[in-house]
Amino acid sequence: MNLNRVLTLNEFIIERQSEFPYAKGELSRLLSHIGIASKIVHREVNKAGLVDILGEIGEMNVQGEIQKKLDVFADEQFISALMASGECCGIASEENQDIITFDGELAKDGKYIVTMDPLDGSSNIDVNVSIGTIFAIYRRLSPIGHKAKLEDFLQEGTKQVAAGYIIYGSSTMMVYTTGRGVNGFTLDPSIGEFCLSHYNIQTPQNGSIYSINEGNYIKFPEGVKRYLKYCQENDEETNRPFSSRYIGSLVADFHRNLLKGGIFLYPSTATYPKGKLRLLYECNPISYLAEQAGGKATDGRGRRILDIKPDSLHQRVPFYVGSRQMVERAEDLIIQYEKEINGK
Ligand code: AHG
Ligand code: MN
Ligand code: MN
């Protein structure tokens, strides 16, 4: 008889709770609710290809309900799940201009706030390519019993108490950290449960994949161009040339590089002088996961992403994340180039 039983996400969360003696289960409940919402989004993502035969987005469906765009649907699912958890007093979402605060008696007492990108890689929905959800959880700074305030959301990434993503790929997975390593759970659709499949993920210190939108080459800073040339050079010892892999969904690109080793770059470009990716919804949670798995995340100029004090909700930042040695090499070349042109 095989006594090796699968461990579900909820069992794992409860087991881990004992590692936080001060916690009374609030964070566990919050994570469980995120897990539930993601299963509903998973169900809709899986039906996305049927939209053309079941009706266009914006049209009435058979129940007489207006069909929503998937990113709006995901946004609403996560907001209602977090509100229902009673542990969260507000949300900042990439889909909404301002913070959303919960006024209900229960939710006002919530100790946590959440920042999220409800659907990451949305341009990939229509072509059946992996997309994701990214979230980060912080303790609120404003007093319990009152509405959440903007300052609750403008905290450094180092203040995250948990962060993770859901990838809706060939399998749906939830990967998260509470600051004690990174664990991954694969959804078994036949039982509707996330099951522990990737225990204590450690990312390779070095790799041979680089991920960047190379179509923007002409718009990159010269130091980045120099690094790309380095990636493409022939050198057996360092396994170069590296492979170029770019999906265009941060979650999917990061997930692959996390498991295989690699670097993801979204530098500043002529179009996005501050980079394209959002500090609160994308870069902070991904950086926390990267560091917890032994990797590194910076702005490409020696500044750790998690140390940046945000000054606005939708702030963008250049993003370099992945295997430690690869991120360090990229930064060395970029900084060295800048010194050279400045004549130092
Ligand atoms: P979102 O779909 O949430 O707007 O995010 C898209 C992001 C990110 O997932 C991806 O890495 C990046 O945009 C791709 O940008 P480019 O198309 O400019 O390469
Ligand atoms: Mn995104
Ligand atoms: Mn998005």
Side-chain angles (χ1 to χ4, degrees):
M1 191 166 56
N2 180 10
L3 293 176
N4 285 336
R5 209 173 59 77
V6 292
L7 199 60
T8 68
L9 174 65
N10 275 346
E11 287 171 330
F12 186 84
I13 288 172
I14 291 164
E15 220 168 75
R16 281 289 163 108
Q17 202 183 301
S18 58
E19 290 181 6
F20 300 88
Y22 55 87
K24 298 191 189 73
E26 292 107 340
L27 183 59
S28 303
R29 274 193 290 279
L30 204 49
L31 286 165
S32 300
H33 275 80
I34 291 174
I36 294 166
S38 72
K39 286 189 221 173
I40 298 170
V41 174
H42 156 87
R43 188 190 66 201
E44 294 304 309
V45 167
N46 271 253
K47 288 195 299 195
L50 295 170
V51 163
D52 281 348
I53 52 173
L54 297 180
E56 286 296 325
I57 284 184
E59 277 184 357
M60 296 276 191
N61 66 14
V62 278
Q63 285 88 31
E65 298 154 342
I66 294 274
Q67 299 211 322
K68 300 217 168 76
K69 282 184 71 179
L70 212 45
D71 36 14
V72 178
F73 177 84
D75 191 45
E76 290 178 359
Q77 280 304 320
F78 283 103
I79 291 171
S80 60
L82 292 166
M83 189 160 65
S85 76
E87 312 297 350
C88 173
C89 60
I91 295 176
S93 159
E94 187 217 326
E95 291 294 324
N96 300 290
Q97 195 55 38
D98 298 313
I99 58 168
I100 297 162
T101 56
F102 299 144
D103 292 339
E105 279 314 307
L106 189 63
K108 267 203 297 198
D109 288 341
K111 289 184 185 153
Y112 297 99
I113 63 99
V114 173
T115 64
M116 62 170 189
D117 179 354
L119 213 71
D120 172 67
S122 36
S123 66
N124 282 322
I125 298 170
D126 293 343
V127 289
N128 204 358
V129 171
S130 299
I131 49 181
T133 296
I134 312 173
F135 64 90
I137 304 176
Y138 298 78
R139 258 183 219 98
R140 72 186 298 175
L141 300 173
S142 57
I144 290 170
H146 295 266
K147 268 195 186 183
K149 294 207 171 92
L150 182 61
E151 59 168 33
D152 293 323
F153 297 86
L154 300 182
Q155 301 189 53
E156 295 93 336
T158 48
K159 305 278 168 51
Q160 290 171 100
V161 293
Y165 58 79
I166 295 101
I167 175 167
Y168 312 99
S170 43
S171 308
T172 289
M173 277 189 76
M174 177 159 161
V175 176
Y176 81 95
T177 181
T178 51
R180 310 239 167 143
V182 179
N183 292 286
F185 301 80
T186 303
L187 182 65
D188 180 341
S190 66
I191 57 168
E193 293 279 5
F194 281 105
C195 302
L196 180 61
S197 53
H198 296 63
Y199 178 70
N200 194 20
I201 298 171
Q202 289 292 307
T203 197
Q205 290 298 296
N206 215 340
S208 53
I209 295 175
Y210 71 103
S211 308
I212 187 167
N213 185 342
E214 240 165 324
N216 291 329
Y217 187 85
I218 199 77
K219 300 177 180 177
F220 289 147
E222 287 304 316
V224 174
K225 291 182 184 169
R226 183 185 268 209
Y227 178 66
L228 294 182
K229 279 279 156 281
Y230 166 84
C231 293
Q232 294 159 0
E233 276 161 15
N234 205 17
D235 180 46
E236 257 176 49
E237 207 176 305
T238 49
N239 212 11
R240 285 180 290 149
F242 296 154
S243 288
S244 166
R245 295 283 182 274
Y246 191 73
I247 294 169
S249 297
L250 170 64
V251 166
D253 280 310
F254 175 74
H255 182 72
R256 180 201 52 240
N257 292 1
L258 177 73
L259 298 182
K260 292 192 164 185
I263 182 172
F264 173 95
L265 311 89
Y266 209 112
S268 58
T269 66
T271 318
Y272 295 107
K274 292 182 172 164
K276 179 187 178 193
L277 299 179
R278 267 61 58 103
L279 176 61
L280 265 63
Y281 317 117
E282 291 165 323
C283 304
N284 268 340
I286 294 292
S287 300
Y288 191 24
L289 288 159
E291 287 195 6
Q292 282 292 314
K296 188 164 179 164
T298 76
D299 69 347
R301 287 157 157 248
R303 195 162 55 145
R304 183 187 177 208
I305 294 291
L306 296 181
D307 283 335
I308 299 172
K309 171 85 179 96
D311 44 41
S312 68
L313 279 181
H314 299 280
Q315 185 169 337
R316 298 172 194 267
V317 68
F319 195 37
Y320 297 67
V321 64
S323 294
R324 175 167 291 276
Q325 287 175 23
M326 295 182 87
V327 174
E328 283 168 359
R329 184 74 188 143
E331 277 195 322
D332 283 351
L333 287 178
I334 292 165
I335 293 168
Q336 190 186 323
Y337 177 82
E338 282 184 8
K339 277 191 186 148
E340 277 170 29
I341 53 164
N342 291 329
K344 284 177 195 161

